[in-house]
Every structure is written in structure tokens, then in C-alpha cells.
Amino acid sequence: MAVGVSVEEKNLLAFREGMQKAVDSQLAGGELISRLELDAEISLADMDGSFFDHYEAMEPFGMGNHEPIFLVRNVEPALPGQIIRDKHWKLLLKQGREVRPAMWFSAPWREAPAAPWDVAVRLQRHYWRGTESWQLMVCGARKAQR
């Protein structure tokens, strides 16, 4: 969903000011705060073969069928993990006896919350040499709220 507009350079400042006034008049203030819409709370133990079969039945994801985001509470990150290109974080997340690999793109790894964490994750499937595996894609994390 995109829109385009053409503005002559001499009208750019007036366009910018008018657009800013229009946007300001429609916002109450809270709309610009980043929020994650979570679809369900699960545990790492819930992620078994049956769970992934049901997950696959919901595919394909895209417009009109968004990819679910799950909340997983009280996980322990196996730190330090691996920092990739100084911005992505590959790590393991533990909850009880369960351990799952995770990747956090554009991670704030220098300012990570204190463990344990509550994490918002998407799921990503991998195939390697004929074997299927799943990885958690971290969307965000906070200090666990008990």
C-alpha cells in the first residue's frame, strides 16, 4: 500500500508545512509510539511437531493473513551469543529444559534488558541437507514481568 506525489521544488517547503499540519491535526500523540501486536502466548515446550504442523496449515502469510507474533515469557538468553556485523544477534533462548535457537536482527545488544526476558518472536523454518528446523526471530524483548 503506497502512494506517490509530485511536487515542484519551489513548492516543497509549503507542501511539507501543509502535510505536517494535516498529520498533527489527526494524531492524538500515542499513535507514534512503537507497539507490537501479539497474537498468542506460548512456551518453548509448546513448540513441538504438532504445533509446527498447525502453524504450517496457516500459511502462506502475507497481506490479509499476517504472520503471527508470539509472546514467550521468562526465557534465559545464553549470553553472550554471537554478534554478526555489529548489529545482528544470534543466540539461544532457554525456558526450563527447552532451548531454541534465535536470531535478532538490528538488535540493541549493547542495551539488552536484564535477564530473564519476555520475548516477542516470529517463527522461521530452515532446511539444511534435507532436515527441517525452526528458528525464533526476535521482534523485541523486555525484562521478564512476573
Side-chain angles (χ1 to χ4, degrees):
M1 309 276 244
V3 66
V5 65
S6 296
V7 179
E8 291 183 25
E9 189 173 349
K10 66 181 181 182
N11 297 327
L12 190 57
L13 184 58
F15 174 80
R16 183 180 186 154
E17 290 171 355
M19 181 62 80
Q20 187 64 51
K21 285 180 185 177
V23 169
D24 289 346
S25 72
Q26 296 176 42
L27 297 178
E31 297 89 350
L32 299 179
I33 297 171
S34 179
R35 299 176 198 268
L36 275 174
E37 297 289 330
L38 302 172
D39 295 291
E41 182 177 334
I42 61 173
S43 70
L44 295 183
D46 292 333
M47 295 181 201
D48 60 11
S50 175
F51 172 84
F52 290 118
D53 289 344
H54 286 92
Y55 184 84
E56 288 175 328
M58 296 188 304
E59 295 176 324
F61 300 115
M63 287 184 64
N65 187 30
H66 75 278
E67 185 178 7
I69 299 176
F70 299 101
L71 172 64
V72 185
R73 292 184 187 270
N74 206 32
V75 297
E76 289 284 342
L79 299 177
Q82 179 184 2
I83 306 301
I84 302 168
R85 294 190 190 130
D86 205 36
K87 62 181 177 177
H88 307 309
W89 202 358
K90 187 174 186 177
L91 63 158
L92 295 173
L93 297 179
K94 300 176 187 178
Q95 188 184 49
R97 295 182 181 173
E98 301 295 324
V99 179
R100 296 284 185 273
M103 180 62 111
W104 192 352
F105 288 103
S106 300
W109 58 273
R110 288 183 178 101
E111 297 90 28
W117 296 347
D118 293 338
V119 292
V121 298
R122 288 188 169 93
L123 302 176
Q124 186 175 67
R125 179 184 1 213
H126 291 277
Y127 293 101
W128 176 253
R129 296 185 178 180
T131 302
E132 179 184 76
S133 64
W134 292 84
Q135 176 174 268
L136 305 178
M137 305 303 291
V138 178
C139 304
R142 68 180 183 201
K143 180 159 179 49
Q145 299 180 1
R146 302 194 193 282

